[in-house]
Amino acid sequence: MKNFLSDFACNVRSAIILAVSLVAALVIIDSYTWRLLSFPWTIPSSNIPPSFSKEISENTIASNNFSDLHARLVSPAEAEAAIAKAKAADGITDDDYSKFDGQGMQGIAPLPPSTEANSPRAQTVTGMPSPLSAEIPSPEYSEGLVSGTGEGSLQASHSNSLSQPPISQPPMSQPPTSNEMHSNTASIVENTSQTSKSSKDAQHSQTNLQKLESSLRRARMAIRRAVTGGGINAEPKLGSIDYEPVGELYRNAAIFRQSYHEMETHFKIYVYQEGEEPLVHSGPCKDIYAIEGRFIQELQGRNPFLTSDPEKAHAFFLPFSVAHMVSYLYSDNSKDMSPLKRVVRDYIDVVNLKYPYWNRSGGADHFMLTCHDWGPHVSRAHQDLSTNVIRVLCNANVSEGYIPYKDASLPEINLIGGHIPTELGGPSGPERQFLAFFAGGDHGPVRPVLFEFWKEKDSDVRVFQSLPPGVSYQDYMKKSKFCLCPGGYEVNSPRIVEAIYNDCVPVIIADSFVLPFSDILDWSTFSIHVLEKDIPSLKIILESVSMEKYLRMQDRVRQVQRHFLLNQPPKRYDVFHMILHSVWLRRLNILIRDY
């Protein structure tokens, strides 16, 4: 009997030691996956500190070079080097790492850093700035897949759960500075609990929220593997409308393919059913705000991304239409937005009281979409809406409170009469008669300057306030190499998409504008960005582009066209799916805790 007890005690002690060793190994290995994500996703420019991809230099902000605010993608060589360095530091073998890498990251969750100890389910994790103060629960941005202050790309995570009502705080009106972002960086503390249950029993004991977060962890791991060439392969089948993304058009085509695949496989959205048309569940489906109504319309019925069970939803859509609110509630020339704000505030109060999901995350896993210029202003009706919620906005102006790592830029598409354009494309560069073209009203801060220097003053740079009789706007676009896209009342313009539809290289003239899908698309490969102060030198800048370079850019304009097409029903990689992908990336940045 004594020998039996001795052997039993020895076996139990050995089992405990083995379990502790395994847990410790998993914690160490998991830290590599998080460390990898603190690396920039592209080779950093001289303006970007090399240590954190989310950090922005004062010089970049001062120069208004907002192309440097987007997510950055590392090269495979950099990713391999980062992994190797992390492994060597702690003595983990390649075999150990590869075994873990295939299993995902279930069961290992970062704890809140000490700076956010009073907010048990929300924190700011390594390198990501928090839009809220440390005294209230804030979104947790873990080093996942959407980076930094850019248009949310493949690098971040954003957790948020409220245990107390948020206090009032003014919305952020400027992009965070380098010092602000650096002060918010924190190291990740990994925690695991010893358990005698099998992994299968542990999985069954997970709550619905934990299961959702586990699926997002696996998606992050799959996208992370794509950095080192372990993702979905693709051949450039240009003859097919469904071909997979390849080429220099993308910041990193392999990561985009993998992320898109993970979105199609996992992403589920719950649309709140509260409210009645026309203010909710409806929107304009024609003319300049058409994208707002078309998107709301597509998130109805049997869309495969929808779920009728909110417990299975990764994201929650607030289906109100700001454009319709302006049409039905705003009194002309009153400058009074309070009726619009009251509707938005009341709607959020209703879903907050009826469902647990808003209060669980402070709205961080919710999103709204509007193309109206007043969208950012109306979103200030509720504190969490402006600081936590994913706002998908046409008016993506960083000088007016747009937060690039949290919000998403929406392309403005003018559907004249509600008709989807069918006459796409245009002649090649040498066949185009004019250097540049613009026609539009004289309003906003940029256009008066453009008219002062170029309105009907140059036979090669065709700038009009009103087109001459008998001349077609679309014909002019097809006859011009470059199509000028200055901001109007706001930074956004439907001319960007119109230029793309007509194979005309867009020229962006809006300093504070975060371009649509710029977490995925490398806009520098198919467009020209002219600073507002350089408008007098516009012709010199455009003439400096060689025909060889222009033809390359025009080819990419043709390639990117499908990402801006409205299809009914939607098709893979079209504008509807690109909008969803922008939301998906930001949801990957959100880690919601269930305590």
Side-chain angles (χ1 to χ4, degrees):
M1 183 66 179
K2 185 181 295 185
N3 290 337
F4 172 77
L5 292 176
S6 176
D7 291 342
F8 178 76
C10 183
N11 291 335
V12 170
R13 186 165 56 251
S14 299
I16 292 174
I17 293 173
L18 180 61
V20 170
S21 301
L22 179 60
V23 168
L26 289 174
V27 171
I28 294 171
I29 296 170
D30 188 55
S31 70
Y32 301 142
T33 64
W34 291 107
R35 278 188 224 173
L36 170 60
L37 294 171
S38 68
F39 276 70
W41 286 77
T42 52
I43 299 174
S45 68
S46 58
N47 285 340
I48 304 297
S51 54
F52 291 105
S53 61
K54 297 92 177 173
E55 223 171 341
I56 306 174
S57 72
E58 298 285 357
N59 293 335
T60 304
I61 297 294
S63 67
N64 289 332
N65 183 11
F66 291 102
S67 64
D68 276 346
L69 303 189
H70 306 315
R72 322 188 70 74
L73 307 173
V74 294
S75 66
E78 284 185 301
E80 291 283 17
I83 294 172
K85 183 177 179 181
K87 286 191 234 178
D90 293 285
I92 301 298
T93 67
D94 288 340
D95 186 55
D96 292 335
Y97 186 82
S98 63
K99 287 179 181 177
F100 171 77
D101 191 50
Q103 297 171 354
M105 301 189 297
Q106 289 188 355
I108 302 178
L111 288 177
S114 58
T115 56
E116 303 257 353
N118 63 334
S119 176
R121 288 181 290 176
Q123 73 211 55
T124 299
V125 185
T126 308
M128 289 301 298
S130 170
L132 304 177
S133 67
E135 58 188 312
I136 64 174
S138 63
E140 168 189 319
Y141 296 90
S142 99
E143 315 157 87
L145 304 166
V146 178
S147 168
T149 57
E151 163 75 353
S153 154
L154 300 157
Q155 192 170 347
S157 148
H158 165 122
S159 137
N160 198 3
S161 294
L162 294 183
S163 55
Q164 57 186 354
I167 63 175
S168 176
Q169 180 174 331
M172 180 184 292
S173 59
Q174 295 291 339
T177 65
S178 174
N179 292 334
E180 288 172 341
M181 300 183 75
H182 187 70
S183 67
N184 279 314
T185 59
S187 32
I188 292 181
V189 181
E190 297 292 345
N191 177 56
T192 60
S193 59
Q194 297 183 23
T195 175
S196 60
K197 294 182 179 181
S198 67
S199 59
K200 183 175 181 180
D201 292 337
Q203 185 174 2
H204 283 304
S205 68
Q206 286 183 321
T207 66
N208 288 329
L209 177 59
Q210 289 170 338
K211 291 176 182 178
L212 288 173
E213 292 300 329
S214 292
S215 71
L216 293 177
R217 283 179 179 271
R218 290 192 295 272
R220 295 186 194 108
M221 283 292 293
I223 298 169
R224 206 171 296 129
R225 285 195 297 271
V227 178
T228 57
I232 296 172
N233 294 320
E235 295 297 329
K237 301 175 182 177
L238 299 182
S240 168
I241 195 170
D242 201 35
Y243 72 91
E244 298 288 345
V246 292
E248 297 178 355
L249 174 65
Y250 305 97
R251 291 181 177 271
N252 188 306
I255 291 179
F256 176 38
R257 289 195 301 270
Q258 188 67 49
S259 176
Y260 191 94
H261 170 74
E262 298 299 325
M263 178 189 76
E264 289 184 313
T265 304
H266 301 290
F267 197 30
K268 291 298 178 184
I269 297 168
Y270 180 78
V271 180
Y272 286 114
Q273 299 304 305
E274 286 65 29
E276 296 180 356
E277 297 185 15
L279 303 184
V280 185
H281 304 294
S282 177
C285 290
K286 62 180 182 179
D287 301 331
I288 200 167
Y289 302 130
I291 189 68
E292 183 173 318
R294 295 293 177 121
F295 185 86
I296 293 173
Q297 182 184 73
E298 292 298 345
L299 278 190
Q300 307 286 340
R302 297 184 177 181
N303 190 286
F305 290 97
L306 295 180
T307 177
S308 59
D309 183 356
E311 287 292 314
K312 297 179 180 179
H314 299 92
F316 299 82
F317 182 48
L318 303 166
F320 52 73
S321 169
V322 174
H324 267 189
M325 290 181 197
V326 174
S327 298
Y328 290 96
L329 301 178
Y330 178 71
S331 298
D332 291 342
N333 302 317
S334 68
K335 299 182 180 180
D336 181 13
M337 294 188 192
S338 60
L340 287 68
K341 292 183 177 181
R342 185 163 53 250
V343 169
V344 171
R345 186 168 53 249
D346 290 348
Y347 191 83
I348 291 175
D349 287 344
V350 167
V351 300
N352 187 14
L353 290 172
K354 187 173 180 179
Y355 301 91
Y357 310 108
W358 178 280
N359 197 49
R360 179 182 73 181
S361 68
D365 55 352
H366 290 57
F367 70 101
M368 60 168 282
L369 179 143
T370 179
C371 199
H372 199 280
D373 290 349
W374 294 353
H377 307 288
V378 173
S379 71
R380 292 173 191 152
H382 194 284
Q383 171 65 23
D384 289 341
L385 190 59
S386 59
T387 55
N388 285 3
V389 169
I390 302 167
R391 300 177 302 167
V392 186
L393 306 171
C394 284
N395 185 10
N397 188 344
V398 293
S399 68
E400 294 184 0
Y402 179 89
I403 305 173
Y405 63 81
K406 175 186 75 70
D407 300 326
S409 181
L410 178 68
E412 187 172 356
I413 302 176
N414 186 10
L415 293 186
I416 300 174
H419 302 296
I420 297 175
T422 56
E423 297 182 8
L424 303 176
S428 183
E431 302 173 32
R432 295 189 173 234
Q433 182 179 351
F434 306 112
L435 178 65
F437 163 70
F438 171 78
D442 186 4
H443 54 258
V446 178
R447 294 185 187 183
V449 181
L450 181 66
F451 287 142
E452 177 186 353
F453 286 95
W454 298 106
K455 180 182 175 182
E456 301 180 29
K457 293 182 178 180
D458 191 292
S459 60
D460 212 18
V461 179
R462 309 296 286 170
V463 175
F464 304 97
Q465 189 168 345
S466 297
L467 281 174
V471 177
S472 163
Y473 180 85
Q474 190 174 25
D475 286 346
Y476 250 114
M477 278 197 154
K478 292 183 182 297
K479 292 179 180 179
S480 303
K481 294 182 178 70
F482 298 97
C483 290
L484 307 182
C485 307
Y489 289 114
E490 298 295 346
V491 292
N492 48 297
S493 170
R495 286 165 181 79
I496 297 175
V497 174
E498 291 169 348
I500 291 172
Y501 283 178
N502 289 283
D503 289 356
C504 184
V505 174
V507 179
I508 316 299
I509 312 176
D511 289 357
S512 301
F513 186 30
V514 177
L515 292 163
F517 316 139
S518 50
D519 40 3
I520 296 300
L521 303 176
D522 185 352
W523 280 81
S524 67
T525 65
F526 62 93
S527 69
I528 301 290
H529 187 187
V530 175
L531 296 177
E532 294 168 10
K533 67 180 180 63
D534 293 330
I535 288 177
S537 305
L538 184 61
K539 186 173 184 179
I540 296 174
I541 293 171
L542 298 182
E543 286 182 330
S544 68
V545 179
S546 68
M547 181 56 69
E548 181 182 3
K549 180 178 179 180
Y550 176 84
L551 291 175
R552 287 199 304 270
M553 297 180 77
Q554 191 182 41
D555 283 342
R556 293 175 189 136
V557 168
R558 295 188 181 106
Q559 292 175 33
V560 82
Q561 192 178 92
R562 69 171 176 154
H563 296 314
F564 292 89
L565 289 178
L566 270 169
N567 297 302
Q568 288 185 316
K571 299 178 181 179
R572 297 185 76 220
Y573 295 110
D574 69 0
V575 70
F576 172 77
H577 289 92
M578 292 296 287
I579 296 168
L580 283 187
H581 187 259
S582 293
V583 177
W584 161 250
L585 288 181
R586 284 151 184 79
R587 180 58 183 93
L588 281 173
N589 288 343
I590 301 169
L591 177 59
I592 303 172
R593 299 199 165 277
D594 189 9
Y595 289 107

